[in-house]
Amino acid sequence: MFRVTVPATSGNIGIGFDTAGLAVDIFNYVDFEARPSGLVIETPGAAFAVPRDGRNLIYRAAKKAAQTIGKPLPGLYMKQYGNIPHTRGLGSSAACIVAGIMIAETLLGHPLSQSERLEIATVMEGHPDNAAPAIYGGVCISVQDGRQIITSPIAVKNDLMVAVLVPDFTLSTRRAREVLPKAVSVPDAVHNIGRMGLFVSALYSGDYSLLRVALDDRLHQPYRKGLIQNFDRVVQAALSAGAYGACLSGAGPTILAFAPDDSAFLHRLEERLQGIGGGWKPLLVPFNQRGAFVQAL
Ligand code: HSE
């Protein structure tokens, strides 16, 4: 029996629509082994109906990776479980896809490179911003160059933490993409390009005071925040509690804040969220620097 462990990820990081993402220490797990035939899927503790047949996303990703490797997938037993909230903007689908790819590699005895994994995952997801940090860990900014996805992970200093503010409602990525415009203006593109540079500079220099301005997006957040109950109030609560900057996590509805490694910050944040409708629950978590991995049990 093997186990693949995959971290939760937050796509976009405000200004990096479809390109930037980060991994945090919240995990999903899949225990798996080859069987002579068939497909058996267990989902203990699942808070929603996970398909247990060929429609299962982990299984579909494993099949896709097996096709790329050029060998048939054997029968499979897998048990999927973990702590990444589903449909909240924390990369639960990217986690399934990356897990499936690594399951196929393991069972077929054919390790893929990280960039090969990322290419398969990006084709399945449509964008690399969650898949890249799920594979590499850290903060990843990914670009497409022809068919190749190029990413250069940034190892974040350990004085920076991530607060994820998870509401009690869900938002599908499909719905959150439907509200986006088909084209953006040059001033809005300029606004984001400069801030992306500032964001990277803040991470390398440790000058986190830059993050408040750097995370201010004009390409997707203005269109999506109407779908998210109390978005502006929650962002303000995070900033007034002492967060360096805050933005939507992926397509939402979770909100992400960069924060100091300080339990007093979390306490202030919990106080300020009281009375704001939406059931917002904050978690203060470290960045995940390792990315997904497989171990023998
Ligand atoms: N970049 C994606 C989006 C993340 O914003 O739609 C969600 O999958």
Side-chain angles (χ1 to χ4, degrees):
M1 186 80 80
F2 296 91
R3 176 175 299 152
V4 57
T5 301
V6 190
T9 52
S10 176
N12 299 329
I13 320 185
I15 29 67
F17 178 68
D18 274 359
T19 62
L22 59 83
V24 294
D25 275 352
I26 301 173
F27 300 100
N28 273 2
Y29 308 93
V30 187
D31 295 353
F32 63 96
E33 65 184 6
R35 293 275 167 94
S37 63
L39 173 65
V40 177
I41 301 176
E42 291 180 5
T43 60
F48 62 99
V50 181
R52 295 193 199 180
D53 54 20
R55 294 169 301 165
N56 180 283
L57 185 53
I58 299 174
Y59 183 69
R60 284 196 282 129
K63 293 269 282 193
K64 183 91 183 159
Q67 269 171 14
T68 304
I69 290 168
K71 293 183 186 171
L73 202 60
L76 176 63
Y77 163 81
M78 55 183 200
K79 178 170 80 174
Q80 60 180 99
Y81 55 102
N83 302 311
I84 304 178
H86 182 66
T87 338
R88 296 294 209 290
L90 284 168
S92 56
S93 58
C96 287
I97 292 169
V98 171
I101 294 168
M102 294 176 80
I103 288 171
E105 293 176 43
T106 308
L107 295 183
L108 299 175
H110 185 116
L112 297 170
S113 66
Q114 288 182 313
S115 65
E116 286 171 320
R117 288 176 194 150
L118 182 56
E119 280 175 36
I120 298 169
T122 301
V123 168
M124 290 192 72
E125 274 254 284
H127 38 83
D129 47 329
N130 289 99
I135 293 166
Y136 290 86
V139 171
C140 294
I141 297 167
S142 308
V143 298
Q144 186 142 6
D145 185 41
R147 292 184 58 189
Q148 218 186 347
I149 312 293
I150 297 175
T151 195
S152 172
I154 301 170
V156 183
K157 298 179 202 296
N158 57 13
D159 58 350
L160 189 64
M161 297 281 282
V162 177
V164 287
L165 291 83
V166 186
D168 63 9
F169 54 90
T170 60
L171 174 61
S172 77
T173 299
R174 188 177 55 76
R175 173 80 187 108
R177 289 183 87 87
E178 276 169 6
V179 298
L180 301 181
K182 296 279 176 280
V184 299
S185 71
V186 170
D188 286 351
V190 170
H191 178 99
N192 271 53
I193 291 166
R195 280 165 174 76
M196 177 59 98
L198 212 55
F199 169 66
V200 174
S201 173
L203 292 187
Y204 277 115
S205 68
D207 181 359
Y208 304 135
S209 68
L210 297 172
L211 290 172
R212 192 169 185 135
V213 169
L215 297 187
D216 178 37
D217 164 74
R218 285 203 190 157
L219 301 188
H220 69 108
Q221 284 188 188
Y223 308 99
R224 288 173 161 172
K225 67 183 189 176
L227 302 173
I228 297 160
Q229 188 186 356
N230 291 317
F231 175 83
D232 286 326
R233 286 182 69 192
V234 174
V235 167
Q236 276 314 315
L239 295 176
S240 73
Y244 299 118
C247 59
L248 203 54
S249 177
T254 291
I255 289 172
L256 168 86
F258 289 95
D261 186 2
D262 175 7
S263 59
F265 162 77
L266 185 61
H267 190 65
R268 284 194 300 276
L269 182 55
E270 281 164 347
E271 278 178 0
R272 282 167 172 76
L273 288 171
Q274 277 173 18
I276 300 182
W280 297 88
K281 293 271 183 311
L283 283 171
L284 190 60
V285 281
F287 285 85
N288 174 269
Q289 306 284 10
R290 181 174 184 181
F293 64 94
V294 175
Q295 68 197 115
L297 295 181

